[in-house]
Amino acid sequence: MNMKVGQNGKALFVEWEGLKHQVYSDTGGEPTIGIGHLLTRDERRSGKIRISGLCIDYRNGLTTEQCYQLLEQDVAIAEKSVNDSVHVELNQNQFDALVSLAFNIGGSAFRASTLVKLLNQKQYDKVPEQMRRWVRDNGKVIQGLVNRREKEIALWNTPV
């Protein structure tokens, strides 16, 4: 599979993640910037993010354009996780919903998930209940994650 997130999917990332030009703490207290970009240890240490091949000092904030470029890079990683691990046919909305989940929980957690195992056995109907399992941050149920999963499920269930 080699699908890409559609424009509707990208619009939802901005809606769900928000767009912040300055560093903020996510629900788990982790430093984040842009459209849900979790700062890596190296980025935190250096104060720089590589965006479109350039090292950008983010400490005084990012431009809106840089936030969108960073989203493109981050989405490409999540798209690869879904494309590499899902071996059944998906429609665009199903793909976008899974990329949103992979973007939010991380590629390795997505690839190792029961959701992927069941989906690859063509158990499409089990995906929503599996998505609902991913609502905790540091062991606590986070209402924002509950809301996001329900929106991802609604997208998953929307015919193209």
Side-chain angles (χ1 to χ4, degrees):
M1 211 170 46
N2 195 22
M3 295 179 75
K4 297 252 179 233
V5 169
Q7 284 310 114
N8 292 342
K10 285 182 188 162
L12 291 173
F13 281 113
V14 179
E15 179 188 328
W16 296 338
E17 294 286 344
L19 191 159
K20 305 258 186 356
H21 298 94
Q22 303 289 336
V23 175
Y24 65 97
S25 293
D26 72 3
T27 57
E30 296 296 325
T32 307
I33 196 168
I35 304 168
H37 177 80
L38 196 61
L39 292 170
T40 67
R41 187 176 302 137
D42 285 344
E43 289 167 347
R44 289 192 306 253
R45 199 172 23 243
S46 70
K48 295 186 179 358
I49 298 175
R50 187 168 288 282
I51 302 175
S52 301
L54 301 172
C55 268
I56 307 293
D57 187 324
Y58 65 83
R59 290 171 290 198
N60 293 320
L62 296 177
T63 67
T64 299
E65 183 181 351
Q66 289 168 334
C67 291
Y68 276 97
Q69 290 169 337
L70 189 55
L71 174 65
E72 290 289 329
Q73 289 174 200
D74 291 344
V75 165
I77 294 165
E79 286 170 341
K80 182 169 176 18
S81 295
V82 175
N83 281 319
D84 289 352
S85 57
V86 174
H87 308 296
V88 295
E89 206 170 299
L90 299 172
N91 70 36
Q92 188 66 56
N93 289 335
Q94 290 170 328
F95 180 78
D96 290 359
L98 293 180
V99 170
S100 174
L101 179 68
F103 179 92
N104 186 242
I105 69 174
S108 54
F110 178 80
R111 284 188 296 276
S113 70
T114 302
L115 182 153
V116 169
K117 289 180 188 77
L118 294 172
L119 181 56
N120 282 331
Q121 296 166 6
K122 297 188 175 179
Q123 296 185 49
Y124 291 86
D125 59 318
K126 300 274 200 262
V127 169
E129 78 184 53
Q130 290 299 312
M131 285 180 156
R132 287 187 180 104
R133 296 176 64 198
W134 294 93
V135 295
R136 288 180 174 74
D137 200 344
N138 292 327
K140 292 188 192 108
V141 172
I142 305 294
Q143 189 59 47
L145 291 177
V146 172
N147 298 345
R148 181 177 179 147
R149 294 294 97 85
E150 292 306 315
K151 289 176 183 174
E152 289 166 347
I153 290 164
L155 181 60
W156 171 267
N157 288 326
T158 301
V160 173

